[in-house]
Amino acid sequence: MGVSRKIFAATAAGALLSLTAVTGAQAVENTGPRYDSAMVQALASSLGVSESAAVQRLDRQAAQQDRVASLGKQGVAMDGAYFDGRGDLVVNAEGAAAERRIEGAGLKARVAEHGEDALQAVKAELDRLALAKSPSGVSAWSVDLASDSVVVEVSSDRGAAAAAFLKAARSHGDAVRVVKSAERLSPHATVDPGDQMTFDGYNCSVGYGARDASGKQFLVTAGHCIENLPVLSHDGARFAEGTDSRFALGKDSVDMGIAAVDEGSAISTQVSTWDRAGTVAVEGSERAPVGADLCKSGRTTFWTCGKVESYDVSVTYTDPNGGPDTVVTGLGSSSVCTEGGDSGGAYISGNQAQGMTSGGPSAQQCDGTVDSPGSSYFQPLDDALAHYGLTLDVN
C-alpha cells in the first residue's frame, strides 16, 4: 500500500515553504532589496532580534560562504565546513598550511581528527548495512561536522538488525556517537481534508516548480506524497499528476518525486508565508551550509523557521498502520517544526530554495510560533533537480 492510501503522521522543527499551484501563469516583478522582507521578518522573529540585525546576519553568512568558495578555487585543502552557534563558518583544514590560509581569509579553521570525507565513508558503510536489512529502532544516522562524528539516533536497540547495526557503528570508536531518542519517525502526510494539495482524499503540501529541457513544467515534491502517481488538486481543482516517485514503502528509498503540471496551470515562484509576512521570491537553489538559517511553508504548521543541521542523512521511517519500515537515504535534517500534511512543502534559505519536507518525529506537535521547537528531515532540492534533469523556476 502506498502513502496515498495510508495515514502518515508528520512533524519537524524549523521552517518549510509551500508554493501555491494556481490556474494560469503568474509573473511577479522583483524590485525589492537583496533579501525578501518575509524571510527577514521570519528570521528576526525566530532569533528575537531586529530586522536590521537579521539582514546583517544573512550578509555575514553570505560573505563567509563566498570566502570559502574563493579558497576552494585557489586549491586550499578543505574537508567540510559548518556554521557554529555564533554564526561563524568553521572550516576543516587539511594540514597546517591550509589552516593558515583559511585563518588569513578571516575564517575559523580547525584540523579535525576525522573530517568530512572519513565520516562520510563511515556513514556509507552504515547505509549499506541498513539497506541490506532495515534496522528497526535506529531512527537516523548522519555526519555531524561540529562534533566530528557520525551521530546515530536510537529509539530501541532490542531488534537483531538494530543490534548488528549498532555493533558495526560502535566499531568505529569515537568517529560514531550513539544517542538515545524516544521518537519514532514517519513520512509527513495526513488524512485531514482541505489541505493545500490533495490526492485520493489525502493531503500534502505543494513544493517547487521546475522545467525539463523542452520547457514542460513539473512539481518537485516528496516522493512518498506521490508514490502511487495520483492526480493532485488544489482548492478542489486538478493541477498536476504524478509521473515518478523514488519512494516505495518497505523498500530502500529516496524521498523525491515529480508530477507533470497540467496545461493552463502553474507553480508560483513566490513561497507563501501563510499571511505571516507576505511571500518569499525563489531566486535559485544554492545549497545552504550546515548551521544556516532557513524557513518552511506547509499547510499544517504554516511558516516556521530554524537551521540546517546536516546533509546526507539516512533514516528509518515506521508505518503507523503496521506496514514494513522504510530506510530513506540522502535527506537533510533541520530544527524546523512540521506536522502531518507538511510533507512536500518547501524549505528556503534567504531566497535560495533548499528542499521539500520528508518526515520527522511521529508524535511531534509544534506550538504555533515561527520558531517552535522541533526537528524535521527534508529532501534536498538540488539532488532532485539533478536526478530528474530539471531546472528550477525562479522569480
Side-chain angles (χ1 to χ4, degrees), residues 1 28 160 176 214 231 306 345 378 391-392:
M1 251 191 243
V28 182
V176 172
S214 68
V231 170
F378 63 94
T391 300
L392 178 68

Side-chain angles (χ1 to χ4, degrees), residues 63-385:
Q64 291 178 85
Q65 292 176 63
D66 288 344
R67 274 177 262 161
V68 168
S70 177
L71 289 171
K73 292 178 181 177
Q74 297 170 38
V76 176
M78 298 176 288
D79 191 19
Y82 65 95
F83 282 110
D84 65 15
R86 296 171 59 88
D88 295 323
L89 194 59
V90 181
V91 185
N92 284 340
E94 294 189 325
E99 187 176 16
R100 289 192 295 271
R101 293 284 299 277
I102 293 166
E103 290 176 344
L107 299 167
K108 286 186 176 181
R110 72 171 186 181
V111 178
E113 179 183 356
H114 304 295
E116 184 174 32
D117 288 346
L119 295 175
Q120 288 290 1
V122 172
K123 196 262 179 181
E125 177 189 319
L126 298 180
D127 281 352
R128 289 190 291 272
L129 288 172
L131 294 174
K133 190 167 186 179
S134 175
S136 299
V138 180
S139 301
W141 52 102
S142 62
V143 171
D144 177 32
L145 290 180
S147 67
D148 195 32
S149 65
V150 175
V151 177
V152 178
E153 299 177 39
V154 182
S155 58
S156 172
D157 58 2
R158 286 176 289 186
F165 182 95
L166 292 174
K167 181 179 179 180
R170 290 187 171 110
S171 71
H172 292 282
D174 63 3
V176 172
R177 185 162 56 97
V178 178
V179 299
K180 284 289 186 180
S181 171
E183 299 286 0
R184 297 172 64 181
L185 305 179
S186 64
H188 280 179
T190 186
V191 300
D192 293 341
D195 317 283
Q196 190 163 343
M197 184 171 85
T198 61
F199 50 96
D200 299 336
Y202 296 82
N203 306 305
C204 276
S205 298
V206 176
Y208 288 105
R211 296 178 188 273
D212 64 12
S214 68
K216 180 172 178 57
Q217 189 179 46
F218 291 84
L219 167 68
V220 186
T221 186
H224 75 267
C225 284
I226 59 168
E227 182 186 356
N228 292 337
L229 309 184
V231 170
L232 304 175
S233 297
H234 173 71
D235 283 348
R238 170 187 167 133
F239 75 95
E241 184 171 357
T243 58
D244 186 78
S245 172
R246 297 181 68 190
F247 183 94
L249 186 68
K251 298 182 180 180
D252 307 334
S253 293
V254 177
D255 202 7
M256 64 174 70
I258 56 173
V261 177
D262 295 343
E263 185 175 355
S265 295
I267 308 298
S268 169
T269 57
Q270 299 286 317
V271 176
S272 170
T273 66
W274 295 84
D275 298 323
R276 297 289 182 93
T279 59
V280 178
V282 178
E283 297 181 358
S285 57
E286 180 179 344
R287 182 176 289 202
V290 170
D293 300 300
L294 79 166
C295 292
K296 98 103 219 352
S297 177
R299 51 82 55 193
T300 305
T301 59
F302 309 122
W303 178 256
T304 52
C305 297
K307 296 180 183 298
V308 178
E309 293 187 334
S310 188
Y311 288 108
D312 195 24
V313 181
S314 301
V315 306
T316 305
Y317 282 146
T318 59
D319 178 13
N321 292 317
D325 290 345
T326 304
V327 172
V328 177
T329 58
L331 298 177
S333 62
S334 80
S335 60
V336 174
C337 199
T338 63
E339 296 179 16
D342 284 330
S343 282
Y347 285 74
I348 196 163
S349 180
N351 294 98
Q352 298 296 311
Q354 297 300 310
M356 297 73 62
T357 308
S358 174
S362 301
Q364 180 169 272
Q365 292 186 330
C366 306
D367 64 15
T369 64
V370 169
D371 57 347
S372 172
S375 62
S376 60
Y377 299 94
F378 63 94
Q379 167 59 54
L381 177 63
D382 54 358
D383 287 346
L385 294 174

